[in-house]
Amino acid sequence: MQFEELEASYGSKKVFSKITGEIVRHNVTTILGPNGSGKTTLMLMLAHLMKPTTGKIKLENDSLFYLPQRSEVYDYMTVKQLLEITHLEKAESDIKQHNQIIAKLGLTKLLNNDINSLSGGQQQRVWLAYAFLQPARILLLDEPLTYLDVKYQQVFYRMLVQEKSRGRTFLISLHDIEFARRCSEYVWFLTPEKLVTGKTDKILILENILHYLEIDSIN
Amino acid sequence: MTNKQKLSFGLMFSGCIFLALFQLIYKIESQSDWQLIIIQLRLPRLIFELGTGLAIGLSAVLLAATLRQPYLDGSMIGIASGSELTIALITVLIPASLIYRVLIGAVAGILCLLLLRSSIFKYHNRVLFLIIGGFCLAMFFNALTTILTESSGWAGKSLANVTWLDVGWLALITLVAIVFWQKNSRYLDYFALPELQTKQLGIDEAKVALSLQLIAAGLLGAVTAVLGTVFFAGVVVNQLIREYTHLGIAARVPFVIVFSILDVLLADTVAHFIFYPTELPTNAVLLVLLAPAFLMLLMRWSRAI
């Protein structure tokens, strides 16, 4: 999946201009950047949920799913009802995998609970399960670690590795540099002027972290 | 459906049957021409009450779902008041047209909806704006109705003068609503999800929402032309059933409709029979009957907060 010369603005306020990049298949790419740098806007554009001011996005035959930072449920809906939406036309083998994902994210006992009655962390696990259960081959996950405790951050990491080995592609936005180093093959630094991309070991160095994340020091 | 839900539905349904039969056959001693009273007065009134219950309940569920604002109904955003204002205008300007009041009310409801969609609904994710904006519009329509009808002697707001023509138009409007419902109701549960997710499921949300809102506005406008506006009734009925049954949007619809019909039947029974021969305004009685439920809901919400 490639994009060229993408530009985004809200009214007269420009978010980023003329950025070009590529999501490499069967890999995890992490997008880093300070608050307001346009990570969510870029993901929405790549998911065709928002039109870029200018620029082109080339998506081949792959299907794509975007999970926002925070998702709300507006009426009574159980965890089971939400997750059932994802396997309406699935085969028996998929249902087995479906149950494994639910179990890994600790949702088995919560299936009959109203989503709005769950804690922030539990809700985030429900939405992560919803994302992993999508048939899409490319998943765009916007700050997936939000509200997750250490245990489920580790579960999420293992699921990411497993799903990648099954041929899925991920673009995730994070604020946790160490998690990004562990889970991703590629890292993007997004600034209003440019998108700096590269292999994790080459690009995720102290100098870039200080410069592109606008911090004085790591200590 | 759990046993508790089945029992609740059964009780509400039985209550409706009991009240319907009572309204139809309870004989007040001073009344003569019994057969004529049943066929020309009580039967059309009863059928219209059923349609009114359906309209108030269903419109509340549909508007709350499609706007993703559970605490809204058609009375709070001006649809009912717009229909009432139109009927007041017709009463003053061309009273001969009042025989078509149900149809006129439905059209007025739909026009109000289109007005709202082109203005306030554009900001539907700003809850306060939607509620305050909608309520201001409702109050504005209400004020105009009061000014227009101040010295006209227009009573309105009663089911006492329902005619077979009113029933016929309401039946026709309900049939059209059923056609729209059959095409769109399968998407109703998806409105519990954020807009970003329904888009990704490939649902043409704008089209489905418009169709469902047209059903709500048409039905509510039609019954308001006769009954008058009943503020908050739809919200109370929808929320009470939601809190009690814990059912999703689509599964809740039959419960809301039956409960709403039960409330209207009860309100009209009180309005017609309790102080006979004085006829009370049914919409006011309905509001009074639902007031304790509204207070109970407020207490539950405040505890939840």
Side-chain angles (χ1 to χ4, degrees), chain A residues 112-195:
Chain A
N112 292 319
N113 288 38
D114 175 19
I115 296 169
N116 283 318
S117 71
L118 304 178
S119 71
Q122 288 171 328
Q123 287 190 26
Q124 182 66 358
R125 274 149 51 200
V126 171
W127 284 105
L128 284 174
Y130 183 75
F132 279 117
L133 292 170
Q134 295 293 325
R137 303 310 299 160
I138 302 176
L139 296 186
L140 310 184
L141 308 178
D142 201 347
E143 299 194 20
L145 300 184
T146 309
Y147 300 124
L148 288 190
D149 59 20
V150 180
K151 176 186 167 184
Y152 283 103
Q153 286 190 15
Q154 185 62 17
V155 169
F156 172 69
Y157 168 74
R158 284 201 211 107
M159 289 177 76
L160 211 55
V161 173
Q162 192 180 32
E163 291 295 309
K164 186 178 63 177
S165 68
R166 285 193 178 129
R168 271 186 157 170
T169 305
F170 290 89
L171 174 67
I172 58 179
S173 75
L174 290 174
H175 289 294
D176 186 332
I177 296 163
E178 283 318 307
F179 197 92
R181 196 188 301 282
R182 277 175 72 205
C183 75
S184 44
E185 283 78 26
Y186 294 89
V187 167
W188 296 355
F189 285 107
L190 181 61
T191 72
E193 298 80 29
K194 57 183 173 180
L195 183 71

Side-chain angles (χ1 to χ4, degrees), chain A residues 31-217:
Chain A
I31 178 166
L32 298 170
N35 291 335
S37 58
K39 299 187 292 294
T40 298
T41 305
L42 177 59
M43 285 182 139
L44 283 169
M45 284 177 176
L46 296 178
H48 296 280
L49 293 166
M50 188 178 165
K51 279 187 183 165
T53 316
T54 59
K56 268 194 277 183
I57 299 166
K58 286 183 207 161
L59 176 69
E60 286 161 18
N61 290 327
D62 289 317
S63 50
L64 194 143
F65 176 80
Y66 167 72
L67 182 71
Q69 287 176 34
R70 195 171 170 275
S71 297
E72 211 173 327
V73 173
Y74 295 89
D75 209 296
Y76 188 86
M77 184 179 256
T78 63
V79 175
K80 193 176 169 192
Q81 284 167 339
L82 175 71
L83 300 183
E84 271 172 359
I85 293 173
T86 62
H87 75 262
L88 291 177
E89 289 165 17
K90 277 190 177 172
E92 193 68 22
S93 57
D94 291 330
I95 304 288
K96 204 172 165 186
Q97 191 205 341
H98 176 113
N99 293 335
Q100 281 175 359
I101 288 174
I102 290 170
K104 276 181 195 165
L105 286 165
L107 299 173
T108 313
K109 286 184 181 169
L110 302 176
L111 285 174
N112 292 319
N113 288 38
D114 175 19
I115 296 169
N116 283 318
S117 71
L118 304 178
S119 71
Q122 288 171 328
Q123 287 190 26
Q124 182 66 358
R125 274 149 51 200
V126 171
W127 284 105
L128 284 174
Y130 183 75
F132 279 117
L133 292 170
Q134 295 293 325
R137 303 310 299 160
I138 302 176
L139 296 186
L140 310 184
L141 308 178
D142 201 347
E143 299 194 20
L145 300 184
T146 309
Y147 300 124
L148 288 190
D149 59 20
V150 180
K151 176 186 167 184
Y152 283 103
Q153 286 190 15
Q154 185 62 17
V155 169
F156 172 69
Y157 168 74
R158 284 201 211 107
M159 289 177 76
L160 211 55
V161 173
Q162 192 180 32
E163 291 295 309
K164 186 178 63 177
S165 68
R166 285 193 178 129
R168 271 186 157 170
T169 305
F170 290 89
L171 174 67
I172 58 179
S173 75
L174 290 174
H175 289 294
D176 186 332
I177 296 163
E178 283 318 307
F179 197 92
R181 196 188 301 282
R182 277 175 72 205
C183 75
S184 44
E185 283 78 26
Y186 294 89
V187 167
W188 296 355
F189 285 107
L190 181 61
T191 72
E193 298 80 29
K194 57 183 173 180
L195 183 71
V196 183
T197 66
K199 284 234 173 200
T200 305
D201 52 351
K202 298 223 170 100
I203 200 169
L204 205 57
I205 55 172
L206 184 63
E207 187 191 343
N208 286 342
I209 293 168
L210 296 179
H211 180 67
Y212 293 118
L213 300 185
E214 299 169 7
I215 46 180
D216 300 329
S217 73

